[in-house]
Amino acid sequence: MGRNRGWQSGASEALRWRPGATVTDIDPRAATGFEGDASDGRRLLSKRGKRLSELQELLYANGRSGSEASVLLVLQGMDTAGKGGIVRHVIGMVDPQGVQHAAFGKPTAEELSHDFLWRIRRELPHGGQIGVFDRSHYEDVLVVRVHGLVPRSRWEPRYDAINGFEAELAGSGTTLVKCAMFVSLDEQRERLAKRLDRPDKYWKFNPGDIDERAFWPQYQDAYQAMLDRTSTDVAPWHVIPADRKWFARLAVTELLIEALQSQHLDWPPADFDVREQKARLAAS
Ligand code: AMP
Ligand code: MG
């Protein structure tokens, strides 16, 4: 990479949702904050993947010695935005033992009989883990709001409930990394077309995804409200332009690295006498 290539400032600084911003102004093809092309991005991704993996091991080691510190990656985005690709290509670079993954689809009858955060709480990461949510509690102010699955009087208080919930999580050692992935309507058409062209992609296709395209403006409104109302100091949102997969993956990798670094973890000290154990080993 040449001079001035790479991230121009921190990724979280570049991508953080800015109060007053407008969802319809987001350019899904942008590489916000990054100077370089796809091959620069891919090269950097594999390098940063190694750093991410080291930091994840550090987190895991701390968890083994009783630390409460964890990370929770929240992925929201329309169908085909690339949430699954983040799981495979970004989270796939770290040791799966330390990952707590959950995908949230349509709630079951049992889940519906509880508060909307019930199923979320059950999947939270423990100390030392990176939790990954493919969709999340935010569906309850997105799809639910767009389709009026419950009356406004039920979804409206959820923004405050979510802020309270996330503040509680942050207070107990979880660093939240919230990523709103924005794919364009055109790019989504291409990605859906690919799913219809390739037998190995049929499994990802859902005819309902085409119906959802008609609700694009309503989803944009719902995303706007979500970003305006739930981007807080302890749990800010990041906007991930997602038409270029290499960029979305690089961006989320960098956000995770920054989140882990912000925890300032050290390797846990030995809870045994190292010299004594070396001597015992030599004599054995
Ligand atoms: P996928 O992520 O492609 O497996 O699709 C999951 C589907 O479940 C999407 O259409 C989501 O909008 C839907 N979904 C997720 N959470 C909820 C919820 N709380 N209420 C209704 N639908 C939901
Ligand atoms: Mg889907």
Side-chain angles (χ1 to χ4, degrees):
M1 288 201 284
R3 208 155 46 93
N4 297 331
R5 294 283 179 110
W7 291 99
Q8 304 296 293
S9 62
S12 66
E13 178 57 31
L15 297 166
R16 183 177 295 228
W17 172 254
R18 301 264 187 282
T22 309
V23 160
T24 47
D25 289 339
I26 293 168
D27 174 9
R29 287 195 61 75
T32 313
F34 184 77
E35 205 53 62
D37 59 19
S39 67
D40 295 325
R42 291 197 186 94
R43 209 162 28 235
L44 187 58
L45 178 64
S46 80
K47 198 169 135 214
R48 297 303 276 164
K50 294 191 182 74
R51 179 70 184 138
L52 178 61
S53 176
E54 284 166 14
L55 285 163
Q56 184 259 344
E57 189 174 348
L58 183 62
L59 177 70
Y60 189 74
N62 275 269
R64 290 287 294 261
S65 9
S67 157
E68 290 289 295
S70 65
V71 169
L72 177 58
L73 175 66
V74 173
L75 298 171
Q76 277 299 153
M78 300 295 288
D79 261 291
T80 78
K83 303 182 292 295
I86 297 292
V87 176
R88 182 195 282 230
H89 297 281
V90 175
I91 300 304
M93 298 190 292
V94 310
D95 186 341
Q97 288 183 87
V99 175
Q100 161 63 29
H101 171 268
F104 296 97
K106 280 181 68 157
T108 62
E110 190 193 17
E111 288 168 349
L112 283 173
S113 75
H114 292 88
D115 176 73
F116 77 107
L117 293 173
W118 181 77
R119 65 174 183 163
I120 304 297
R121 290 183 189 276
R122 307 204 316 164
E123 302 287 355
L124 290 172
H126 294 121
Q129 291 181 320
I130 296 183
V132 181
F133 284 0
D134 176 341
R135 304 184 189 272
S136 66
H137 41 299
Y138 286 101
E139 290 292 321
D140 290 280
V141 290
L142 292 169
V143 65
V144 169
R145 170 178 167 145
V146 166
H147 291 291
L149 301 182
V150 301
R152 175 183 273 264
S153 60
R154 288 222 13 236
W155 56 254
E156 184 69 42
R158 287 178 177 168
Y159 298 98
D160 289 341
I162 287 171
N163 288 337
F165 169 65
E166 291 183 352
E168 183 193 311
L169 280 182
S172 61
T174 301
T175 305
L176 284 110
V177 180
K178 302 195 293 189
C179 295
M181 302 178 68
F182 284 89
V183 68
S184 66
L185 199 53
D186 285 344
E187 179 66 19
Q188 189 193 53
R189 182 188 291 104
E190 304 224 334
R191 291 182 185 178
L192 289 174
K194 197 169 281 172
R195 290 181 183 181
L196 288 170
D197 273 342
R198 289 178 43 177
D200 63 323
K201 299 283 182 197
Y202 291 166
W203 68 275
K204 286 194 198 180
F205 185 79
N206 170 5
D209 297 346
I210 297 177
D211 301 315
E212 289 302 89
R213 288 171 58 77
F215 291 90
W216 203 263
Q218 289 91 326
Y219 272 106
Q220 287 197 313
D221 289 347
Y223 271 92
Q224 181 78 45
M226 175 189 89
L227 293 164
D228 285 339
R229 299 181 64 178
T230 63
S231 200
T232 60
D233 287 343
V234 288
W237 273 107
H238 297 91
V239 169
I240 313 293
D243 275 14
R244 298 199 263 186
K245 291 178 179 173
W246 67 265
F247 176 72
R249 293 168 189 173
L250 184 66
V252 175
T253 301
E254 206 60 33
L255 290 174
L256 286 170
I257 289 173
E258 289 177 14
L260 284 158
Q261 281 174 340
S262 76
Q263 296 181 328
H264 301 293
L265 299 174
D266 286 316
W267 292 104
D271 57 2
F272 46 83
D273 183 327
V274 177
R275 275 178 45 194
E276 184 186 320
Q277 296 304 317
K278 281 186 177 170
R280 288 185 60 226
L281 180 61
S284 70

